[in-house]
Amino acid sequence: MTGNRMGFWFLDKMRGAFSEPSIAKGIGAEVDFRKDFKSRKASAWRPTVAFVVDEMALHGWPGEEAKREEGWRRQQIYFNQVEFLKAAGMPFEIYLAEDVLTHPERLAHVRVTLLAHFRKVDEVRRRFIDAMRTEGRTVVALADTGRLGGKPEPAKGIVFVDEPMGLKPVDLNRLAEEAGAYVALPPDVAQVTANGEFLALHALTGGTFDLVLPWGERRTVAFDTGDNLRFVRELP
């Protein structure tokens, strides 16, 4: 097991199981890989789709009691929605509102921002939302988002989702493409995790598809789907 800033350690519950030469060699190779991985500079490239979760709705606004809504509702609005959108065909990041509300420049690279648990929209949040829908960028207000400035008509650059888990992978895939965000694959093909140097795909179906890499290069990827095993067969 490896831990961030905690080095490497191994728990041998069987007293000597790791001493077998091939296992010890494998452990050594893993340690070397982790050392090399940690020595590399972080990639400057970032996913261009992001969730922003307003923790204030979960813990209560100043002067108010925390509103503990039913667990299923919180689960559907955010947690299940995130899991669902892993099939949208692109990587995404997740931020707490506290970290970006007064620093929207931290999301300058983001083209699509999904708002979760923004139950109230005060002046600070309104300015943040306005900043995230400039220059052709898109804001997606998930279910339970508060009124935006009291305007009855939808504001330009904002998409409203009116029910928990109402945003489908195919919807986010199209919104991301239209906003100029990085999209690796069509929807419902694979879960994509990526930075500028590393790409991981977890196939959800079989077939051959065009894969767009973070730096713009296109490759062909072929997925084979077995009864119990799904795997990448070829990535030229």
Side-chain angles (χ1 to χ4, degrees):
M1 181 177 292
T2 61
N4 191 25
R5 297 189 299 275
M6 296 175 61
F8 312 90
W9 53 279
F10 301 90
L11 179 61
D12 187 355
K13 292 184 177 181
M14 299 178 62
R15 294 186 179 182
F18 292 165
S19 62
E20 199 281 328
S22 63
I23 294 178
K25 183 178 179 180
I27 291 173
E30 173 68 12
V31 171
D32 290 341
F33 169 79
R34 294 288 179 172
K35 286 181 178 178
D36 177 65
F37 195 74
K38 285 181 67 64
S39 68
R40 295 174 181 267
K41 294 181 63 175
S43 170
W45 184 90
R46 308 288 293 277
T48 48
V49 174
F51 277 86
V52 178
V53 186
D54 194 346
E55 65 275 26
M56 193 65 74
L58 304 179
H59 300 295
W61 286 64
E64 295 183 1
E65 293 184 4
K67 296 181 179 180
R68 300 294 181 181
E69 76 283 3
E70 300 91 340
W72 71 267
R73 188 171 182 80
R74 182 170 62 247
Q75 188 79 15
Q76 292 287 88
I77 291 173
Y78 172 63
F79 294 102
N80 288 356
Q81 181 72 92
V82 169
E83 292 299 313
F84 194 26
L85 293 178
K86 288 180 179 179
M90 82 286 294
F92 53 79
E93 295 183 319
I94 300 174
Y95 296 83
L96 290 177
E98 182 181 28
D99 296 328
V100 297
L101 280 179
T102 56
H103 296 282
E105 70 276 5
R106 293 175 178 173
L107 299 184
H109 62 289
V110 171
R111 302 298 302 175
V112 177
T113 306
L114 298 102
L115 308 179
H117 295 307
F118 274 64
R119 291 186 170 176
K120 289 188 178 182
V121 180
D122 59 5
E123 185 61 23
V124 173
R125 286 162 175 76
R126 187 189 62 78
R127 287 198 300 267
F128 169 75
I129 292 169
D130 286 344
M132 296 309 298
R133 62 187 182 92
T134 59
E135 299 176 352
R137 298 189 293 175
T138 298
V139 171
V140 179
L142 298 179
D144 265 12
T145 298
R147 293 177 66 84
L148 304 179
K151 296 181 180 179
E153 71 280 359
K156 183 179 180 180
I158 298 180
V159 176
F160 294 90
V161 181
D162 62 357
E163 63 181 16
M165 283 191 69
L167 188 66
K168 307 297 189 291
V170 65
D171 301 327
L172 180 56
N173 189 280
R174 179 172 178 177
L175 287 171
E177 282 195 340
E178 291 180 349
Y182 167 63
V183 177
L185 287 165
D188 300 316
V189 169
Q191 178 180 336
V192 183
T193 305
N195 61 24
E197 299 176 346
F198 179 82
L199 178 75
L201 304 175
H202 185 146
L204 302 175
T205 187
T208 301
F209 303 93
D210 289 332
L211 170 69
V212 180
L213 298 173
W215 49 91
E217 184 179 350
R218 289 182 176 271
R219 298 287 183 90
T220 298
V221 61
F223 297 124
D224 280 346
T225 304
D227 292 335
N228 299 308
L229 180 66
R230 295 170 179 174
F231 58 95
V232 178
R233 184 186 69 190
E234 179 185 4
L235 182 59

